[in-house]
Amino acid sequence: MFEFRGSPVSVRPDLRFAYMSLWGHFSRPGPTLDGQQRIALLTSVRHRATEETARTVGIEPPLGLLADRLYHAPTTVDGDLVRSAADASGDPSTVEVAALVSMLSSVDGTHRALGADLEPLPESTAGDPTGEIAEGLKRRRTHFPVPPGPIPVMFDLLPYEGAVFQSLFGPQYMTGWEMALETFRRDPGLDRAQMELVSSRTSIHNQCFY
């Protein structure tokens, strides 16, 4: 698993391990979708089958459209699109779908950048949705309900999805502790300034908003 076939360079073990752990997460039931629905969603999104996604996964079409846009055309995602999905399917389902698709997109984007074949999605595991949803969160000029604090954490309405999403920061970018170090450098790899240059250029290209 995660051999990155076709890549001209080797891939760090910590990144491979993070992606393997993520694949296990994808296969298990989430807060609002079971494992079969989660894998069906991600399979359909890869193939740009928005209507099939909604029908197979059991979600409303606006949420299927959001999933498709997040993966294939993220610059077209705006507040109106998110609100339409949330109105049709509820905030928890919308957050779960957004988290799943965002994480898949980052993994597949890494493979494409390396010229590697996409990793096949895992088989789903049995079980009912967990229903693990945080209470008391509110929109704070954000698309999703978030906890209080100066830096919104977009997927914390679903604590476990949010934790898995944040666990990818270190392998793919930097941990919170590493971000505080102006002289941080991976060995082997890029230094802090080089990482920031790449991330800033990527954000501009994708028209990211904060």
Side-chain angles (χ1 to χ4, degrees):
M1 181 181 286
F2 286 102
E3 298 297 329
F4 289 89
R5 292 182 178 86
S7 172
V9 297
S10 61
V11 176
R12 297 194 326 269
D14 65 318
L15 192 61
R16 293 185 59 221
F17 179 77
Y19 288 171
M20 291 170 66
S21 298
L22 178 61
W23 251 228
H25 174 69
F26 283 164
S27 71
R28 294 188 290 270
T32 70
L33 302 174
D34 63 29
Q36 184 176 5
Q37 290 174 310
R38 285 156 69 95
I39 297 303
L41 167 76
L42 297 177
T43 299
S44 296
V45 165
R46 268 186 174 177
H47 297 290
R48 197 152 202 176
T50 305
E51 292 183 3
E52 178 185 343
T53 297
R55 183 172 60 253
T56 302
V57 180
I59 61 176
E60 297 296 327
L63 186 51
L65 178 60
L66 174 62
D68 178 81
R69 295 277 188 87
L70 279 171
Y71 188 89
H72 294 283
T75 61
T76 66
V77 175
D78 58 19
D80 290 339
L81 181 61
V82 176
R83 170 49 58 194
S84 177
D87 286 346
S89 301
D91 284 325
S93 291
T94 304
V95 171
E96 182 169 357
V97 167
L100 292 172
V101 175
S102 297
M103 291 187 283
L104 176 68
S105 180
S106 70
V107 176
D108 286 358
T110 299
H111 282 71
R112 291 190 178 99
L114 292 172
D117 296 336
L118 297 185
E119 183 70 23
L121 290 165
E123 297 291 330
S124 61
T125 58
D128 296 326
T130 65
E132 295 177 355
I133 302 168
E135 298 181 356
L137 276 60
K138 299 178 181 179
R139 285 184 175 78
R140 306 175 193 279
R141 293 184 293 177
T142 55
H143 293 335
F144 296 136
V146 297
I151 301 178
V153 184
M154 287 298 100
F155 300 138
D156 271 12
L157 181 65
L158 310 179
Y160 193 57
E161 297 299 321
V164 172
F165 180 77
Q166 291 184 62
S167 74
L168 296 174
F169 288 4
Q172 294 190 133
Y173 182 43
M174 290 179 280
T175 65
W177 178 79
E178 290 166 346
M179 290 179 193
L181 303 175
E182 295 182 2
T183 59
F184 175 74
R185 181 186 183 92
R186 288 199 183 279
D187 185 20
L190 306 179
D191 63 29
R192 173 67 181 270
Q194 292 169 321
M195 290 183 193
E196 297 288 14
L197 179 61
V198 172
S199 63
S200 297
R201 181 68 184 87
T202 302
S203 294
I204 292 172
H205 177 75
N206 289 331
Q207 298 181 27
C208 294
F209 54 87
Y210 190 83

